[in-house]
Amino acid sequence: MKVVVLTGAGISAESGVPTFRDADGLWEGHRVEEVATPEAYDHAPMTVHRFYDARRSALLGVQPNAAHHALARLEEVLGDDLLVITQNIDDLHERAGSRRVLHMHGELLSALCRACDGRVRWESDLVDLPPCPGCGVTELRPDVVWFGEVPYGMDRISIELARADLFVSIGTSGAVYPAAGFVQHALRYGARTLELNLEPSEGTAWFHEARHGRAGELVPHWVEELLETAHSAS
Ligand code: APR
């Protein structure tokens, strides 16, 4: 059975990583337009760097939770038949042990050089405009996909969604495309679809089944259930 899991900010909420569309609609006190667009970066690069530098250092202070660990356990059993597509830029899936993770919106712990297009693992600040280790030019930007930019890995994502027997969406509001359209793509190719989220997402009507609650409880329970089914079928 081929399983594709889409995760959003809700899966990291119980680890202490704020989600995007909380009550105030601000992203940690910033309007998204101020910090997550190429225009914002051209207009005020220091504001953007300070924003992501703060998130990068905050990330070093949080840990994966039970939902991340449950998906890592599922990968141990399903191997190449499981792919986690995440909208998150944190590294909590990998720190929980997942290897088959596709970061469609980029990664906080990576820097992208606008001069040579090189990518480098980055754990410290970018606001001091450090030189690119590859070409030496001081054009390193956060390796995250901003609004108006094309997400990473879309060709592979389309293929994997078309092959999926089961598509599961965890901790995402379904407010942002193209991720919000993945359920319809998977459905079109005959996948069964399941939503695990604190509340109904904007796309909840597209799911065969929806379970609402905290990911830290829902995901381990769903993984145990799937592994039991897989076990009794074998
Ligand atoms: N367990 C499960 N779901 C949760 C939890 C939790 N503990 N806490 C919050 N949620 C749910 C919320 O109900 C909401 O539906 O997670 C969802 C988070 O939604 P958003 O904040 O909109 O985050 P996400 O869907 O990942 O945003 C998509 O938007 O801003 C861009 O690029 C950014 O990747 C992000 C994209």
Side-chain angles (χ1 to χ4, degrees):
M1 177 171 52
K2 284 194 171 299
V3 181
V4 173
V5 172
L6 172 70
T7 64
I11 198 171
S12 296
E14 292 156 68
S15 295
V17 181
T19 62
F20 296 94
R21 285 171 190 84
D22 282 340
D24 59 10
L26 293 179
W27 194 3
E28 296 186 31
H30 290 267
R31 282 184 308 107
V32 165
E33 301 76 33
E34 280 171 30
V35 290
T37 63
E39 296 74 27
Y41 187 67
D42 292 336
H43 177 69
M46 293 308 149
T47 305
V48 174
H49 278 314
R50 274 193 290 276
F51 175 76
Y52 286 100
D53 287 353
R55 300 190 66 208
R56 196 174 299 108
S57 53
L59 180 56
L60 303 174
V62 299
Q63 299 302 326
N65 62 56
H68 298 106
H69 287 293
L71 291 179
R73 209 164 46 249
L74 184 59
E75 186 186 304
E76 282 167 18
V77 177
L78 294 186
D80 293 354
D81 285 343
L82 174 68
L83 176 68
V84 173
I85 301 167
T86 188
Q87 299 169 84
N88 301 343
I89 57 177
D90 65 51
D91 66 336
L92 297 178
H93 282 300
E94 288 87 350
R95 273 198 266 152
S98 288
R99 291 292 156 268
R100 293 180 51 79
V101 182
L102 192 163
H103 284 269
M104 68 179 290
H105 291 164
E107 299 177 63
L108 258 181
L109 298 180
S110 176
L112 172 64
C113 179
R114 301 208 300 174
C116 72
D117 278 339
R119 279 188 170 80
V120 58
R121 181 166 173 91
W122 203 269
E123 295 187 358
S124 53
D125 289 353
L126 285 172
V127 74
D128 317 318
L129 302 182
C132 165
C135 70
V137 179
T138 56
E139 278 285 353
L140 290 176
R141 59 162 271 184
D143 186 12
V144 295
V145 177
W146 288 323
F147 286 93
E149 295 183 322
V150 179
Y152 298 153
M154 289 306 295
D155 294 345
R156 173 151 177 239
I157 289 173
S158 299
I159 293 166
E160 297 279 352
L161 288 171
R163 286 188 186 146
D165 300 302
L166 176 59
F167 174 76
V168 183
S169 173
I170 303 173
T172 183
S173 59
V176 176
Y177 283 78
F182 290 173
V183 58
Q184 291 149 11
H185 189 108
L187 267 175
R188 210 172 301 132
Y189 288 89
R192 179 157 178 76
T193 58
L194 169 65
E195 172 177 88
L196 304 176
N197 205 49
L198 195 60
E199 59 200 348
S201 73
E202 292 188 16
T204 197
W206 294 101
F207 290 89
H208 290 111
E209 184 186 357
R211 302 178 188 176
H212 299 125
R214 298 157 65 87
E217 284 140 31
L218 290 179
V219 179
H221 187 255
W222 164 66
V223 166
E224 288 324 307
E225 203 181 277
L226 193 67
L227 293 181
E228 263 158 42
T229 322
H231 186 67
S232 53
S234 61

